[in-house]
Amino acid sequence: MANQAPGEDTHLADTSNALRVVRANYADPAHARALTGLLDMYARDVMGGGKSLNTFALDNVAAELAKRPQAFSVLAYQGDQPVGLVNCIEGFSTFACKPLVNVHDVAVHPGFRKMGVARKMLALVERIARERGCCKLTLEVLQGNAPAIGLYGRIGFVGYQLVPGMGQAMFLQKPLS
């Protein structure tokens, strides 16, 4: 499956509830709309900052991701309704000298939370990362997002530290605009 094109039927299906998880095809207008809508829903949630994406992001995020071969996204559908999104960016671990995948956004529609949607999307992310030869997945999560932290721990994510006495790594940012 390493040569499979985005949007092909790479999926993990649960036939008991018709949840379908696919790798997004940024050129597919339906996938682009699903990605943008779910990303905006996430941005408007308290865990995403509580405000809608700006017009530029709304109009361009799928096309901009498509320009980046290191980016990929996973969508979850319940029937025809998009209910989940994970955006990923491949990076590089200098210590391992191998690629890694940073899970940048995880969003699940509020009506579909606690139903295994994020877990199933992250399973596909892990499979894609393994196909790419990645050494690890990374992500950031707000300290107050206990449900997400619980899920991430259950599927194998742990705090990052090199030397126990120096503590865990911190995620910092410096806005440039």
Side-chain angles (χ1 to χ4, degrees):
M1 285 198 217
N3 294 331
Q4 191 158 359
E8 284 187 24
D9 205 12
T10 299
H11 68 278
L12 302 175
D14 182 341
T15 56
S16 66
N17 68 5
L19 181 69
R20 185 171 49 99
V21 178
V22 300
R23 182 172 175 182
N25 177 350
Y26 299 129
D28 179 332
H31 282 198
R33 279 191 306 277
L35 182 148
T36 302
L38 289 163
L39 188 61
D40 190 52
M41 174 208 70
Y42 173 50
R44 288 183 280 117
D45 188 271
V46 66
M47 293 301 171
K51 59 184 177 181
S52 186
L53 296 175
N54 65 45
T55 303
F56 177 79
L58 287 168
D59 292 344
N60 296 288
V61 68
E64 289 298 317
L65 285 168
K67 293 178 184 177
R68 291 160 174 76
Q70 72 275 21
F72 69 92
S73 300
V74 168
L75 293 165
Y77 289 88
Q78 182 77 44
D80 292 334
Q81 180 181 357
V83 299
L85 167 69
V86 177
N87 287 321
C88 300
I89 309 292
E90 185 179 297
F92 190 77
S93 169
T94 54
F95 283 19
C97 197
K98 292 184 176 183
L100 61 85
V101 167
N102 177 258
V103 175
H104 191 69
D105 303 300
V106 178
V108 175
H109 187 285
F112 294 87
R113 292 180 182 158
K114 299 188 187 276
M115 296 173 65
V117 175
R119 180 180 49 80
K120 290 173 185 172
M121 291 189 299
L122 289 168
L124 181 52
V125 167
E126 182 174 337
R127 190 165 80 196
I128 293 167
R130 289 181 185 280
E131 289 170 357
R132 289 176 171 225
C134 294
C135 63
K136 64 181 171 180
L137 299 176
T138 64
L139 59 77
E140 64 227 35
V141 62
L142 296 176
Q143 291 175 328
N145 193 344
I149 292 168
L151 168 66
Y152 300 148
R154 286 190 302 277
I155 63 173
F157 284 89
V158 296
Y160 173 73
Q161 62 182 8
L162 291 173
V163 179
M166 293 303 297
Q168 292 190 353
M170 296 172 48
F171 179 79
L172 306 173
Q173 74 171 2
K174 180 181 178 180
L176 300 178
S177 59

